[in-house]
Structures are given as structure tokens and as C-alpha cells.
Amino acid sequence: LPDELDTLPRVAEQAGFRVRGLLVTHADWDHLLGSYAFVDAALGLPDIGACDDVAALQQVVPLPGDPALRTRLEALASRLADADARRNTGSYATALALVRPILEEARRLGYRPFEAEAALLQGQLEAMLGDRRGAEASFEAAVWAAEAGRQDEIAARAWVHLLSVVGNDGAEYARGLVFVPRATAAIARLGGNTGMEALLENALGSIDLSQSKVATAIAHLEKSVALFERARGPEHPETARALDQL
């Protein structure tokens, strides 16, 4: 295989870990087959198509060369996938309890792209549980680790979440909008990313809606829906959530 494959950010591997995490989370198959939460979570699995973006994959800091470190990283990735599966099925407090020690171990391990993934998930869970200050700190940590690890996709996502948690959840509109150029710069480094652009438009629409700027809010949200449909498809939960805001 080409040497470049060593720089893959484990997109396919993460998908496998997360499928196993979902199955562990839903061990009761009767419940599983009728679970809307499971369907929503399954549709939220990583996009294997991301592997097609060779330039973006090659810029990420390579995986550790030490086999022992790789083994530790694989074990942490599996645990993070389980936590993410629990987040996707609504068990936010349980997921957060799982993520916190993973992030601490990731920091000791020192592989920044994975550290960024863990910090991002911790921030998402803290935001879902109403811990705005904790979420802000976690997203800032995710940005730092992502930029240190040259993982622009996670950096972009963390900047958008910072914009949302500060500008929308915290109603600090002006401070939240300061993060927009950082988010767009990270998206530009990716060569553009329709899904990330959709998240950004959605966040901007929510902030405008919070300020009763209805016309601009609708414009942002309509653009968000169109981008989500292009990136994820019309049946994807993110597309449906964007439509619900209109």
C-alpha cells in the first residue's frame, strides 16, 4: 500500500468501532430494531467518503510509529466510539463519564488528532448537559489539539461549536461571531467542506433567530438545509433538525 495510507485519520476504522459501540449499547435486539435513537445514531456514523480527500488526510499528523502506542490508541478509539454511540442514543451523562478519562489518557499519549476528537466529544456532551463554560473550555482544547495535529476538520467543527455555545447558548452574540473567521479559515484549509459549511450556516441562523433577526435567520437556515441535503442527503437527522428550525 502507498505510504500515504499511514496518514489516514482512521475514518474507516472509527466507523467500525462506532458500529460495535452501537451494538453493545443496544444489546436488546427487539428494542434495537424498533429504536428511533438507534436509526438516528446509525445515520450519524462517520462518512467513509471522507477517505477520498487524500490531500486532507495527508496533512494530518501521522499515527505513532511505535506499535505499543498504536495499540493504546486503538483501545482508546474503541472506548471513545462507545461513548459516542451513547451520545447518539441520548445517554449524555453516561457518555460524558466515559469520555473524561479517555481525554486524560489521550493527553498523556500525545497523539493530538485523537486528543482533539476526544475533547470535541466532551465539549458536545457538556453543551448538551447545559455546562456552557465547561463546553467552551473543551472546544478550545479541541481547537488547540486539532491545530497542533493538523486535523482541520475537527478544528473547523470545534470553532463552529464555540460560535454556537458562546453566541447562541450564552447569548454573547458579538463574542460568538468573533469565531466565524477562524471557522471559515479551517474550512478553507480543507478545500471546502459542505457538511461543515452547513453546520456554520445553521449556527449563524440560530444566533440571528435568538436576536429576532428573522429575515437573516431564515436565509442562513435555508442555506443550511440545502447544504445538509447535498452533504448528507434529505433523510439524514442533521437535515431534519435543520428543517425543524425553519
Side-chain angles (χ1 to χ4, degrees):
L1 290 175
D3 291 340
E4 298 96 290
L5 292 180
D6 195 49
T7 64
L8 290 172
R10 305 183 322 283
V11 176
E13 182 180 4
Q14 282 288 316
F17 283 139
R18 292 180 189 182
V19 168
R20 289 198 293 275
L22 282 174
L23 297 182
V24 168
T25 304
H26 290 276
D28 179 346
W29 283 93
D30 289 335
H31 172 68
L32 169 64
L33 294 174
S35 171
Y36 290 107
F38 177 82
V39 173
D40 187 85
L43 288 171
L45 289 169
D47 181 7
I48 300 301
C51 292
D52 293 337
D53 191 349
V54 176
L57 296 177
Q58 285 182 307
Q59 74 180 10
V60 179
V61 169
L63 290 163
D66 184 341
L69 290 180
R70 286 198 183 210
T71 298
R72 288 173 59 194
L73 182 60
E74 180 177 319
L76 285 176
S78 182
R79 288 166 56 194
L80 188 69
D82 178 45
D84 193 36
R86 293 174 190 278
R87 173 184 71 94
N88 282 324
T89 54
S91 300
Y92 303 138
T94 300
L96 182 58
L98 293 172
V99 168
R100 282 179 168 150
I102 294 170
L103 179 55
E104 290 304 313
E105 290 181 50
R107 285 173 173 151
R108 289 194 293 271
L109 186 65
Y111 181 63
R112 302 307 180 199
F114 179 77
E115 181 184 331
E117 289 182 40
L120 179 69
L121 181 55
Q122 179 167 298
Q124 290 173 310
L125 290 163
E126 287 165 336
M128 289 168 176
L129 290 166
D131 181 5
R132 185 172 61 82
R133 293 300 180 191
E136 184 177 345
S138 294
F139 291 139
E140 287 174 348
V143 165
W144 182 89
E147 292 186 347
R150 302 197 298 274
Q151 177 44 289
D152 286 329
E153 183 175 350
I154 293 178
R157 191 175 291 272
W159 281 122
V160 172
H161 279 298
L162 267 173
L163 162 66
S164 182
V165 81
V166 172
N168 188 38
D169 299 348
E172 297 180 62
Y173 307 123
R175 190 163 79 90
L177 293 174
V178 168
F179 300 126
V180 173
R182 302 302 300 269
T184 56
I187 293 169
R189 283 196 302 272
L190 288 166
N193 184 300
T194 306
M196 216 62 66
E197 291 164 11
L199 288 173
L200 177 58
E201 290 294 335
N202 190 266
L204 291 171
S206 296
I207 288 173
D208 279 352
L209 203 57
S210 296
Q211 299 176 85
S212 299
K213 297 179 178 179
V214 178
T216 54
I218 289 173
H220 282 302
L221 293 172
E222 285 179 340
K223 189 173 181 180
S224 173
V225 169
L227 289 166
F228 273 130
E229 286 180 343
R230 192 189 316 164
R232 308 279 193 257
E235 305 301 323
H236 195 279
E238 286 184 317
T239 306
R241 282 190 285 267
L243 277 167
D244 282 345
Q245 290 182 271
L246 281 172

